[in-house]
Amino acid sequence: MSAGIVDIATAKPGRRIDNDHFASIGLTDEWIRRRSGIGSRSWLPDETPLADVAAEACAPIVTRTDDPSSIDALIVVSTSVRQRIPGVAQKVARLAGLAPSVMALDMNAACCGFVYGLVTGVSLCDAGQARQVLVCSVEAMSRMVDRMDRQTACLFGDGSAAVLLADRTDFGGCCRVAGCDGSQASLMRETGAGGIALDGMQVYDRAVRRMSESAQYLFDHGPAPTVLVGHQANSRILEQVRSFSAHLDVPFVNRIENSGNTSSASIPLAFAAELDAGALPATGRLGAVAYGAGEAWGGVAVDYRLPAVPAS
């Protein structure tokens, strides 16, 4: 018996920002789409607490759970939580209706955060330390970028997604690969003046290589995934990973056009969107690969069996 995904829900509140919004800084819809594949993204109001958005994603799962007290752990993954003390996880647990006995913790592994969170949650279940684990990614990347920066302002979006992990007798084991290289920290970083600095070409090359290698590892150490979801950073990166992974012969998800780069939330948001569109069956095996600041990279493959309900 091993753990996998048994429920999923999302939250993408806020206003829709089309590419025309960036005309004031000299960017056109055609240029943004050609460079990134992005047509629109959601931006949260500046005054909306991230805990509220995360709870909006978690609450439907808690409601659908027969016994919410069986959720023994909540892992809130985020790059964009600004308040360090106290962390946001405990507030999310309360707002989402989880029992006071839940262990709630915050995690930051940048764009690779959901992969790290999924590995941690599955490990807790498989070790018998938790009956069910809720992993929630929540991001407000629009608050971190310099909105006048032509390089990054158009790339990022906001949103939240959560998955519930639990043991099932028919689930295959988790497969994971991960790594980091702190010497590359300067490639993607928050600047002292506010905003995000990117070494575009280096990030592009390393992201493609790391995600492609991670995907290959997941298939070489089966059971093989039935769908592959890469971190939704940039459509050109995604299409390169798709090209390198074409021989794996499984659906590859690219949902960045209407979401932008939502950092740690991008994989579960893309996975949920594909499910909602009917492009994937409700039962299968998810392969998720990511690359992010730190630098951190990794991949994880887990079985999923989802209820016949909308993801949001």
Side-chain angles (χ1 to χ4, degrees), residues 284-309:
R285 186 167 174 86
L286 169 67
V289 294
Y291 171 88
E295 64 179 351
W297 67 86
V300 60
V302 294
D303 287 354
Y304 68 88
R305 188 171 72 219
L306 301 169
V309 295

PDB file of all heavy atoms in Angstrom, residues 284-309:
ATOM      1  N   GLY A 284      -5.090   7.619 -12.812  1.00  0.00           N
ATOM      2  CA  GLY A 284      -3.853   7.500 -13.577  1.00  0.00           C
ATOM      3  C   GLY A 284      -2.648   7.663 -12.687  1.00  0.00           C
ATOM      4  O   GLY A 284      -2.717   7.473 -11.473  1.00  0.00           O
ATOM      5  N   ARG A 285      -1.548   8.019 -13.312  1.00  0.00           N
ATOM      6  CA  ARG A 285      -0.302   8.235 -12.571  1.00  0.00           C
ATOM      7  C   ARG A 285       0.329   9.546 -13.049  1.00  0.00           C
ATOM      8  O   ARG A 285       0.663   9.684 -14.231  1.00  0.00           O
ATOM      9  CB  ARG A 285       0.664   7.063 -12.756  1.00  0.00           C
ATOM     10  CG  ARG A 285       1.932   7.155 -11.892  1.00  0.00           C
ATOM     11  CD  ARG A 285       2.665   5.815 -11.887  1.00  0.00           C
ATOM     12  NE  ARG A 285       3.952   5.878 -11.189  1.00  0.00           N
ATOM     13  CZ  ARG A 285       4.095   5.724  -9.874  1.00  0.00           C
ATOM     14  NH1 ARG A 285       3.017   5.512  -9.117  1.00  0.00           N
ATOM     15  NH2 ARG A 285       5.280   5.773  -9.302  1.00  0.00           N
ATOM     16  N   LEU A 286       0.473  10.479 -12.126  1.00  0.00           N
ATOM     17  CA  LEU A 286       1.013  11.805 -12.430  1.00  0.00           C
ATOM     18  C   LEU A 286       2.530  11.795 -12.333  1.00  0.00           C
ATOM     19  O   LEU A 286       3.097  11.344 -11.339  1.00  0.00           O
ATOM     20  CB  LEU A 286       0.452  12.829 -11.442  1.00  0.00           C
ATOM     21  CG  LEU A 286       1.117  14.223 -11.444  1.00  0.00           C
ATOM     22  CD1 LEU A 286       0.849  14.954 -12.756  1.00  0.00           C
ATOM     23  CD2 LEU A 286       0.643  15.046 -10.251  1.00  0.00           C
ATOM     24  N   GLY A 287       3.165  12.306 -13.372  1.00  0.00           N
ATOM     25  CA  GLY A 287       4.586  12.616 -13.319  1.00  0.00           C
ATOM     26  C   GLY A 287       4.739  14.126 -13.331  1.00  0.00           C
ATOM     27  O   GLY A 287       4.273  14.791 -14.255  1.00  0.00           O
ATOM     28  N   ALA A 288       5.352  14.687 -12.295  1.00  0.00           N
ATOM     29  CA  ALA A 288       5.518  16.135 -12.175  1.00  0.00           C
ATOM     30  C   ALA A 288       7.002  16.454 -12.096  1.00  0.00           C
ATOM     31  O   ALA A 288       7.734  15.851 -11.298  1.00  0.00           O
ATOM     32  CB  ALA A 288       4.808  16.651 -10.929  1.00  0.00           C
ATOM     33  N   VAL A 289       7.451  17.395 -12.936  1.00  0.00           N
ATOM     34  CA  VAL A 289       8.859  17.782 -12.941  1.00  0.00           C
ATOM     35  C   VAL A 289       8.953  19.301 -12.864  1.00  0.00           C
ATOM     36  O   VAL A 289       8.125  20.024 -13.426  1.00  0.00           O
ATOM     37  CB  VAL A 289       9.592  17.266 -14.195  1.00  0.00           C
ATOM     38  CG1 VAL A 289       9.649  15.748 -14.189  1.00  0.00           C
ATOM     39  CG2 VAL A 289       8.943  17.761 -15.485  1.00  0.00           C
ATOM     40  N   ALA A 290       9.967  19.796 -12.154  1.00  0.00           N
ATOM     41  CA  ALA A 290      10.068  21.237 -11.936  1.00  0.00           C
ATOM     42  C   ALA A 290      11.518  21.662 -11.781  1.00  0.00           C
ATOM     43  O   ALA A 290      12.397  20.861 -11.420  1.00  0.00           O
ATOM     44  CB  ALA A 290       9.270  21.653 -10.705  1.00  0.00           C
ATOM     45  N   TYR A 291      11.736  22.943 -12.043  1.00  0.00           N
ATOM     46  CA  TYR A 291      13.038  23.583 -11.860  1.00  0.00           C
ATOM     47  C   TYR A 291      12.770  24.971 -11.312  1.00  0.00           C
ATOM     48  O   TYR A 291      11.885  25.675 -11.804  1.00  0.00           O
ATOM     49  CB  TYR A 291      13.775  23.671 -13.201  1.00  0.00           C
ATOM     50  CG  TYR A 291      15.037  24.511 -13.161  1.00  0.00           C
ATOM     51  CD1 TYR A 291      16.258  23.942 -12.817  1.00  0.00           C
ATOM     52  CD2 TYR A 291      14.999  25.869 -13.459  1.00  0.00           C
ATOM     53  CE1 TYR A 291      17.416  24.708 -12.782  1.00  0.00           C
ATOM     54  CE2 TYR A 291      16.152  26.639 -13.430  1.00  0.00           C
ATOM     55  CZ  TYR A 291      17.356  26.059 -13.083  1.00  0.00           C
ATOM     56  OH  TYR A 291      18.498  26.824 -13.044  1.00  0.00           O
ATOM     57  N   GLY A 292      13.526  25.359 -10.287  1.00  0.00           N
ATOM     58  CA  GLY A 292      13.277  26.669  -9.708  1.00  0.00           C
ATOM     59  C   GLY A 292      14.504  27.282  -9.075  1.00  0.00           C
ATOM     60  O   GLY A 292      15.596  26.702  -9.061  1.00  0.00           O
ATOM     61  N   ALA A 293      14.303  28.484  -8.551  1.00  0.00           N
ATOM     62  CA  ALA A 293      15.382  29.237  -7.928  1.00  0.00           C
ATOM     63  C   ALA A 293      15.974  28.462  -6.774  1.00  0.00           C
ATOM     64  O   ALA A 293      15.309  27.666  -6.121  1.00  0.00           O
ATOM     65  CB  ALA A 293      14.865  30.595  -7.456  1.00  0.00           C
ATOM     66  N   GLY A 294      17.255  28.713  -6.551  1.00  0.00           N
ATOM     67  CA  GLY A 294      17.917  28.069  -5.422  1.00  0.00           C
ATOM     68  C   GLY A 294      19.340  27.604  -5.729  1.00  0.00           C
ATOM     69  O   GLY A 294      20.213  27.826  -4.932  1.00  0.00           O
ATOM     70  N   GLU A 295      19.636  26.882  -6.858  1.00  0.00           N
ATOM     71  CA  GLU A 295      18.578  26.338  -7.703  1.00  0.00           C
ATOM     72  C   GLU A 295      18.122  24.995  -7.170  1.00  0.00           C
ATOM     73  O   GLU A 295      18.890  24.288  -6.514  1.00  0.00           O
ATOM     74  CB  GLU A 295      19.029  26.213  -9.163  1.00  0.00           C
ATOM     75  CG  GLU A 295      20.150  25.229  -9.347  1.00  0.00           C
ATOM     76  CD  GLU A 295      20.629  25.057 -10.803  1.00  0.00           C
ATOM     77  OE1 GLU A 295      20.041  25.543 -11.786  1.00  0.00           O
ATOM     78  OE2 GLU A 295      21.650  24.360 -10.946  1.00  0.00           O
ATOM     79  N   ALA A 296      16.877  24.669  -7.414  1.00  0.00           N
ATOM     80  CA  ALA A 296      16.314  23.398  -6.967  1.00  0.00           C
ATOM     81  C   ALA A 296      15.566  22.764  -8.131  1.00  0.00           C
ATOM     82  O   ALA A 296      14.942  23.458  -8.920  1.00  0.00           O
ATOM     83  CB  ALA A 296      15.363  23.620  -5.792  1.00  0.00           C
ATOM     84  N   TRP A 297      15.661  21.457  -8.233  1.00  0.00           N
ATOM     85  CA  TRP A 297      14.940  20.756  -9.297  1.00  0.00           C
ATOM     86  C   TRP A 297      14.501  19.388  -8.786  1.00  0.00           C
ATOM     87  O   TRP A 297      14.972  18.912  -7.755  1.00  0.00           O
ATOM     88  CB  TRP A 297      15.809  20.591 -10.541  1.00  0.00           C
ATOM     89  CG  TRP A 297      16.987  19.684 -10.362  1.00  0.00           C
ATOM     90  CD1 TRP A 297      17.038  18.321 -10.494  1.00  0.00           C
ATOM     91  CD2 TRP A 297      18.318  20.067  -9.986  1.00  0.00           C
ATOM     92  NE1 TRP A 297      18.290  17.837 -10.235  1.00  0.00           N
ATOM     93  CE2 TRP A 297      19.104  18.890  -9.910  1.00  0.00           C
ATOM     94  CE3 TRP A 297      18.906  21.303  -9.701  1.00  0.00           C
ATOM     95  CZ2 TRP A 297      20.448  18.915  -9.578  1.00  0.00           C
ATOM     96  CZ3 TRP A 297      20.253  21.321  -9.365  1.00  0.00           C
ATOM     97  CH2 TRP A 297      21.009  20.144  -9.297  1.00  0.00           C
ATOM     98  N   GLY A 298      13.581  18.780  -9.524  1.00  0.00           N
ATOM     99  CA  GLY A 298      13.170  17.450  -9.118  1.00  0.00           C
ATOM    100  C   GLY A 298      11.972  16.958  -9.895  1.00  0.00           C
ATOM    101  O   GLY A 298      11.387  17.672 -10.713  1.00  0.00           O
ATOM    102  N   GLY A 299      11.623  15.732  -9.615  1.00  0.00           N
ATOM    103  CA  GLY A 299      10.454  15.116 -10.226  1.00  0.00           C
ATOM    104  C   GLY A 299       9.864  14.099  -9.269  1.00  0.00           C
ATOM    105  O   GLY A 299      10.549  13.541  -8.409  1.00  0.00           O
ATOM    106  N   VAL A 300       8.575  13.858  -9.406  1.00  0.00           N
ATOM    107  CA  VAL A 300       7.892  12.879  -8.575  1.00  0.00           C
ATOM    108  C   VAL A 300       6.787  12.225  -9.403  1.00  0.00           C
ATOM    109  O   VAL A 300       6.148  12.887 -10.232  1.00  0.00           O
ATOM    110  CB  VAL A 300       7.306  13.534  -7.296  1.00  0.00           C
ATOM    111  CG1 VAL A 300       6.310  14.620  -7.636  1.00  0.00           C
ATOM    112  CG2 VAL A 300       6.677  12.496  -6.383  1.00  0.00           C
ATOM    113  N   ALA A 301       6.599  10.936  -9.201  1.00  0.00           N
ATOM    114  CA  ALA A 301       5.514  10.207  -9.854  1.00  0.00           C
ATOM    115  C   ALA A 301       4.674   9.527  -8.781  1.00  0.00           C
ATOM    116  O   ALA A 301       5.210   8.809  -7.930  1.00  0.00           O
ATOM    117  CB  ALA A 301       6.057   9.162 -10.829  1.00  0.00           C
ATOM    118  N   VAL A 302       3.370   9.806  -8.806  1.00  0.00           N
ATOM    119  CA  VAL A 302       2.444   9.199  -7.845  1.00  0.00           C
ATOM    120  C   VAL A 302       1.152   8.842  -8.569  1.00  0.00           C
ATOM    121  O   VAL A 302       0.743   9.515  -9.517  1.00  0.00           O
ATOM    122  CB  VAL A 302       2.115  10.137  -6.657  1.00  0.00           C
ATOM    123  CG1 VAL A 302       3.338  10.385  -5.804  1.00  0.00           C
ATOM    124  CG2 VAL A 302       1.510  11.449  -7.144  1.00  0.00           C
ATOM    125  N   ASP A 303       0.490   7.806  -8.088  1.00  0.00           N
ATOM    126  CA  ASP A 303      -0.823   7.452  -8.616  1.00  0.00           C
ATOM    127  C   ASP A 303      -1.857   8.461  -8.139  1.00  0.00           C
ATOM    128  O   ASP A 303      -1.706   9.089  -7.080  1.00  0.00           O
ATOM    129  CB  ASP A 303      -1.227   6.060  -8.149  1.00  0.00           C
ATOM    130  CG  ASP A 303      -0.458   4.949  -8.858  1.00  0.00           C
ATOM    131  OD1 ASP A 303       0.309   5.261  -9.785  1.00  0.00           O
ATOM    132  OD2 ASP A 303      -0.621   3.777  -8.475  1.00  0.00           O
ATOM    133  N   TYR A 304      -2.924   8.618  -8.922  1.00  0.00           N
ATOM    134  CA  TYR A 304      -4.050   9.452  -8.495  1.00  0.00           C
ATOM    135  C   TYR A 304      -5.356   8.754  -8.830  1.00  0.00           C
ATOM    136  O   TYR A 304      -5.475   8.042  -9.829  1.00  0.00           O
ATOM    137  CB  TYR A 304      -3.984  10.849  -9.127  1.00  0.00           C
ATOM    138  CG  TYR A 304      -4.212  10.898 -10.631  1.00  0.00           C
ATOM    139  CD1 TYR A 304      -5.509  11.014 -11.157  1.00  0.00           C
ATOM    140  CD2 TYR A 304      -3.145  10.859 -11.519  1.00  0.00           C
ATOM    141  CE1 TYR A 304      -5.714  11.076 -12.535  1.00  0.00           C
ATOM    142  CE2 TYR A 304      -3.347  10.915 -12.889  1.00  0.00           C
ATOM    143  CZ  TYR A 304      -4.623  11.016 -13.390  1.00  0.00           C
ATOM    144  OH  TYR A 304      -4.840  11.069 -14.756  1.00  0.00           O
ATOM    145  N   ARG A 305      -6.326   8.930  -7.961  1.00  0.00           N
ATOM    146  CA  ARG A 305      -7.691   8.466  -8.190  1.00  0.00           C
ATOM    147  C   ARG A 305      -8.611   9.512  -7.598  1.00  0.00           C
ATOM    148  O   ARG A 305      -8.660   9.695  -6.389  1.00  0.00           O
ATOM    149  CB  ARG A 305      -7.931   7.104  -7.539  1.00  0.00           C
ATOM    150  CG  ARG A 305      -9.302   6.517  -7.929  1.00  0.00           C
ATOM    151  CD  ARG A 305      -9.444   5.071  -7.456  1.00  0.00           C
ATOM    152  NE  ARG A 305      -9.603   4.985  -6.021  1.00  0.00           N
ATOM    153  CZ  ARG A 305      -9.040   4.034  -5.265  1.00  0.00           C
ATOM    154  NH1 ARG A 305      -8.270   3.121  -5.805  1.00  0.00           N
ATOM    155  NH2 ARG A 305      -9.248   4.009  -3.979  1.00  0.00           N
ATOM    156  N   LEU A 306      -9.331  10.216  -8.457  1.00  0.00           N
ATOM    157  CA  LEU A 306     -10.036  11.418  -8.048  1.00  0.00           C
ATOM    158  C   LEU A 306     -11.555  11.240  -8.107  1.00  0.00           C
ATOM    159  O   LEU A 306     -12.064  10.501  -8.953  1.00  0.00           O
ATOM    160  CB  LEU A 306      -9.629  12.596  -8.944  1.00  0.00           C
ATOM    161  CG  LEU A 306      -8.122  12.901  -8.926  1.00  0.00           C
ATOM    162  CD1 LEU A 306      -7.757  13.883 -10.014  1.00  0.00           C
ATOM    163  CD2 LEU A 306      -7.718  13.430  -7.561  1.00  0.00           C
ATOM    164  N   PRO A 307     -12.259  11.952  -7.226  1.00  0.00           N
ATOM    165  CA  PRO A 307     -13.722  11.894  -7.274  1.00  0.00           C
ATOM    166  C   PRO A 307     -14.237  12.595  -8.517  1.00  0.00           C
ATOM    167  O   PRO A 307     -13.569  13.448  -9.096  1.00  0.00           O
ATOM    168  CB  PRO A 307     -14.139  12.648  -6.004  1.00  0.00           C
ATOM    169  CG  PRO A 307     -13.003  13.559  -5.707  1.00  0.00           C
ATOM    170  CD  PRO A 307     -11.762  12.825  -6.147  1.00  0.00           C
ATOM    171  N   ALA A 308     -15.424  12.240  -8.935  1.00  0.00           N
ATOM    172  CA  ALA A 308     -16.033  12.826 -10.132  1.00  0.00           C
ATOM    173  C   ALA A 308     -16.664  14.156  -9.773  1.00  0.00           C
ATOM    174  O   ALA A 308     -17.896  14.332  -9.804  1.00  0.00           O
ATOM    175  CB  ALA A 308     -17.070  11.883 -10.722  1.00  0.00           C
ATOM    176  N   VAL A 309     -15.809  15.127  -9.413  1.00  0.00           N
ATOM    177  CA  VAL A 309     -16.301  16.471  -9.065  1.00  0.00           C
ATOM    178  C   VAL A 309     -15.383  17.471  -9.743  1.00  0.00           C
ATOM    179  O   VAL A 309     -14.230  17.170 -10.073  1.00  0.00           O
ATOM    180  CB  VAL A 309     -16.290  16.714  -7.542  1.00  0.00           C
ATOM    181  CG1 VAL A 309     -17.264  15.771  -6.862  1.00  0.00           C
ATOM    182  CG2 VAL A 309     -14.896  16.551  -6.965  1.00  0.00           C
TER     183      VAL A 309
END
